[in-house]
Amino acid sequence: MCIQTKLLEVHHLHKSYEKDGMPVKALNGISFDVFSGEFLGIMGASGSGKTTLLNCIATILKPTSGQILLSGTPAVSPESRLMDIAGLLGIQDVLLKFPAQMSGGQKQRVAAARCLITEPEIILADEPTGALDTRSSRQLMEKLQEVNQKRRATILMVTHNPSAASFCSRILFIQDGTVFHELRRRQEETQDGFYQRILNVMAQMGGGSANVL
């Protein structure tokens, strides 16, 4: 039996804040583990707490209560991979430009390249395909999948896109700040088959893919 190693542990995480003088609970005791080498997707309706969750894990936000435990070692940054990644994402012609000289999609692809070039042990991705066209989105997701499968990098990705989510090995659907449903890709399941199961869960959550952000 293969024993999975926990890379990230989230225990009873709560996050509350005030909006217009009223308390808002973004996270409501959510708990889950991320295992070394897996590609985990986070999906949920707008306001479900998924981006707040990612920001807490990334230490951008401080949780109201609960624990986030991370183990691992830093990655080395090999500059020799720059042109390979730039070519994959189609950003060779913007490497010497300032951000103000780039389009929104170019900025997002540069951010993705900056993340990938370090060969990190864990990647936190918030809507990585949000500003990309269909072709660029698929290229980026294929690269993330390659990093996950060949280099065993762990990926935690928030996405509204069921096509992007179909590249994951496991998906957590969150609602009202806690886990609503979990979906695992079966061993022999095709990507299209997993995509259809993702759509089914999204429909159960109310409103289909247009309302799952």
Side-chain angles (χ1 to χ4, degrees), residues 1-210:
M1 180 180 292
C2 178
I3 299 176
Q4 290 183 298
T5 302
K6 293 179 183 178
L7 182 63
L8 181 73
E9 300 173 59
V10 176
H11 298 296
H12 309 295
L13 208 65
H14 291 261
K15 177 61 180 178
S16 300
Y17 60 92
E18 282 194 7
K19 183 177 181 181
D20 299 326
M22 298 293 293
V24 176
K25 183 171 285 189
L27 298 176
N28 190 24
I30 188 168
S31 297
F32 63 94
D33 297 324
V34 181
F35 297 96
S36 180
E38 81 167 331
F39 194 161
L40 178 65
I42 303 289
M43 302 187 80
S46 180
S48 61
K50 59 191 183 304
T51 297
T52 299
L53 171 64
L54 201 68
N55 286 339
C56 286
I57 293 171
T59 70
I60 295 172
L61 293 178
K62 183 178 180 180
T64 304
S65 63
Q67 271 191 322
I68 301 172
L69 305 178
L70 176 67
S71 61
T73 57
V76 178
S77 179
E79 295 183 4
S80 61
R81 300 185 67 242
L82 175 60
M83 294 311 297
D84 176 58
I85 293 175
L88 176 73
L89 299 177
I91 55 171
Q92 305 99 313
D93 57 340
V94 302
L95 294 179
L96 299 179
K97 291 185 178 181
F98 292 102
Q101 298 172 301
M102 302 180 195
S103 68
Q106 288 172 333
K107 291 177 184 177
Q108 192 145 0
R109 281 178 279 172
V110 168
R114 200 164 50 231
C115 177
L116 291 174
I117 199 171
T118 62
E119 297 186 337
E121 189 172 10
I122 184 167
I123 297 170
L124 302 179
D126 190 0
E127 303 286 4
T129 64
L132 303 181
D133 58 33
T134 302
R135 180 173 175 273
S136 297
S137 295
R138 184 166 188 85
Q139 285 180 333
L140 176 58
M141 292 310 304
E142 287 174 348
K143 189 60 180 179
L144 287 175
Q145 188 177 58
E146 179 183 335
V147 171
N148 168 249
Q149 293 180 349
K150 293 186 177 180
R151 302 185 183 277
R152 302 302 298 164
T154 306
I155 302 174
L156 177 59
M157 177 182 72
V158 164
T159 183
H160 74 282
N161 186 340
S163 179
S166 69
F167 283 85
C168 298
S169 56
R170 181 166 65 109
I171 299 171
L172 296 179
F173 297 86
I174 66 174
Q175 191 172 63
D176 300 325
T178 192
V179 175
F180 169 81
H181 189 70
E182 177 180 329
L183 208 59
R184 293 176 181 267
R185 185 168 177 174
R186 298 169 184 141
Q187 188 171 2
E188 301 299 326
E189 188 172 26
T190 64
Q191 188 170 341
D192 184 62
F194 193 39
Y195 171 79
Q196 293 300 324
R197 289 207 292 137
I198 293 168
L199 292 182
N200 290 340
V201 175
M202 292 166 71
Q204 292 173 24
M205 294 181 74
S209 62

